[in-house]
Amino acid sequence: RCGYVAIVGRPNVGKSTLLNRILGQKLSITSRKPQTTRHRIHGIKTEGDVQAIYVDTPGMHLGAEKAINRYMNRAASSSLADVDVIVFIVDRLRWTEEDEMVLEKLKHTKAPVILVVNKVDRLDEKAQLIPWLDELSRKMDFAHIVPIAARNGHNVDRLERLVNSYL
Ligand code: GDP
Ligand code: MG
């Protein structure tokens, strides 16, 4: 079995960190600064008889006035066509207008969407509850909701098993 996996989310939620964690190698740039990923990058993870082809999308941006933003929006949208499963990453600490924009794009796709709530290691910084999560799951039907910490790998193996089940 073999299929395509799109990783989407606004800048800084941890897309590159997750991809590097899954693929076990530094394929894309991670940085504290948003918008460092300029290109779509493919990586293939083989697990038994399943091959998952991962697509790291550039961030989606509110301002489409700059050429680079238009390019990045186009690249992000095209990466959603014809994938078998979409991983929508959000940061547990912050739901923003940019997340909302990504969500709107996902409503028009046909692939199942797995909602990944990243950075659950940062429990010290704010209350354990994620106030917007209930409302978010009412706005869209997610195939699964998976809390992870991409940086230390917490629950990433479970996410990979769920992803592979759609390939
Ligand atoms: P991207 O813009 O979505 O590709 O996000 P990056 O992968 O570049 O990550 C943005 C920032 O969040 C970096 O400073 C990462 O180290 C940090 N980050 C990513 N995953 C986690 C996580 O699980 N926990 C914490 N605390 N930080 C994370
Ligand atoms: Mg990135």
Side-chain angles (χ1 to χ4, degrees):
R1 275 148 56 218
C2 156
Y4 284 90
V5 188
I7 296 185
V8 304
R10 65 163 166 84
N12 241 14
V13 290
K15 298 180 297 298
S16 300
T17 306
L18 175 63
L19 195 71
N20 290 338
R21 169 68 56 178
I22 288 172
L23 297 171
Q25 58 200 107
K26 292 280 174 192
L27 280 179
S28 50
I29 306 156
T30 61
S31 160
R32 280 178 194 284
K33 290 181 194 155
Q35 303 178 29
T36 49
T37 308
R38 288 282 187 269
H39 301 283
R40 291 174 56 193
I41 297 157
H42 297 83
I44 302 177
K45 176 73 174 282
T46 306
E47 197 75 58
D49 64 341
V50 184
Q51 278 198 322
I53 303 164
Y54 281 88
V55 182
D56 185 24
T57 64
M60 302 195 198
H61 300 272
L62 292 175
E65 64 284 345
K66 283 184 185 169
I68 182 69
N69 286 347
R70 277 201 305 275
Y71 161 74
M72 289 172 82
N73 278 331
R74 210 160 43 232
S77 296
S78 67
S79 70
L80 295 183
D82 299 320
V83 297
D84 298 286
V85 58
I86 296 168
V87 175
F88 175 30
I89 311 192
V90 299
D91 181 334
R92 67 165 293 277
L93 297 174
R94 215 156 64 94
W95 176 264
T96 73
E97 220 180 315
E98 283 180 299
D99 293 298
E100 196 71 49
M101 204 186 88
V102 178
L103 179 72
E104 284 308 311
K105 296 203 177 197
L106 293 182
K107 284 179 179 171
H108 305 295
T109 62
K110 52 185 183 342
V113 177
I114 298 174
L115 177 68
V116 165
V117 182
N118 190 31
K119 311 193 186 183
V120 294
D121 55 311
R122 299 180 71 175
L123 290 177
D124 50 312
E125 300 190 23
K126 286 193 183 160
Q128 206 157 339
L129 285 173
I130 304 169
W132 39 264
L133 192 55
D134 264 357
E135 200 190 327
L136 176 56
S137 53
R138 276 196 295 274
K139 283 180 187 167
M140 192 176 157
D141 257 333
F142 294 106
H144 301 276
I145 298 177
V146 188
I148 69 162
R151 196 145 79 180
N152 65 24
H154 173 74
N155 225 18
V156 171
D157 54 344
R158 169 149 180 269
L159 173 63
E160 283 191 69
R161 283 195 301 276
L162 288 172
V163 162
N164 288 353
S165 73
Y166 292 94
L167 308 180

